[in-house]
């Protein structure tokens, strides 16, 4: 299976930086352990990765507190969309379904969404 089609666990800011360096466009979920909404997002994000072709990373800012300040994380789950290593969009509305995440990506980085996969 292609690794870009399932979420990648990132241990810290260095892993996140390497992930962003490896991908022109990426979606990253900031989560915390024990957060049921965050846990429910993981399969959704797997579906989003398969539907769009956009790589998804998962990082717990509680494991690297510098990420909380760096990305101004006020709640989880928070989805951050990056293009060329720069944050270009953010979705921090708690649990959201795959259709809402795909729509967010289509609006934020339209040229990066694989329209054949997304079905549009």
């Amino acid at each position: 299976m292609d690794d870009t089609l399932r979420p990648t666990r990132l241990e810290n800011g260095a892993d996140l930086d390497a992930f962003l360096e490896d991908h022109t466009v990426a979606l990253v979920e900031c989560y915390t352990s024990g957060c049921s909404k965050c846990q429910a997002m993981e399969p959704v994000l797997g579906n989003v990765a398969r539907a769009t072709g956009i790589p998804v990373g998962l990082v717990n800012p509680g494991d690297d507190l510098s990420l909380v300040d760096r990305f101004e994380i006020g709640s989880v789950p928070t989805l951050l969309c990056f293009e060329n290593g720069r944050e270009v969009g953010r979705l921090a509305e708690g649990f959201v379904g795959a259709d809402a995440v795909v729509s967010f990506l289509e609006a934020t980085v339209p040229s990066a969404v694989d329209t054949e996969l997304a079905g549009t």
Side-chain angles (χ1 to χ4, degrees):
M1 173 185 262
D2 185 341
D3 284 342
T4 62
L5 300 182
R6 61 181 174 197
T8 301
R9 292 212 173 268
L10 309 168
E11 297 299 318
N12 52 39
D15 284 357
L16 174 59
D17 291 340
F19 182 76
L20 296 177
E21 194 171 300
D22 287 345
H23 303 289
T24 304
V25 173
L27 180 66
V28 174
E29 178 195 21
C30 295
Y31 73 93
T32 58
S33 300
C35 168
S36 60
K37 290 179 183 179
C38 300
Q39 291 171 346
M41 285 300 301
E42 187 170 350
V44 168
L45 295 174
N47 290 337
V48 168
R50 286 184 290 281
T52 63
I54 293 176
V56 174
L58 308 173
V59 67
N60 182 346
D63 292 340
D64 184 344
L65 293 177
S66 68
L67 295 173
V68 174
D69 291 332
R70 179 176 167 192
F71 296 109
E72 299 176 356
I73 304 300
S75 64
V76 291
T78 294
L79 301 177
L80 304 173
C81 182
F82 292 89
E83 188 170 26
N84 297 316
R86 224 180 93 248
E87 182 183 336
V88 294
R90 173 182 297 241
L91 192 60
E93 299 173 5
F95 177 86
V96 290
D99 290 343
V101 178
V102 169
S103 294
F104 163 71
L105 291 170
E106 288 173 334
T108 306
V109 286
S111 63
V113 175
D114 186 331
T115 55
E116 285 184 24
L117 291 174
T120 56

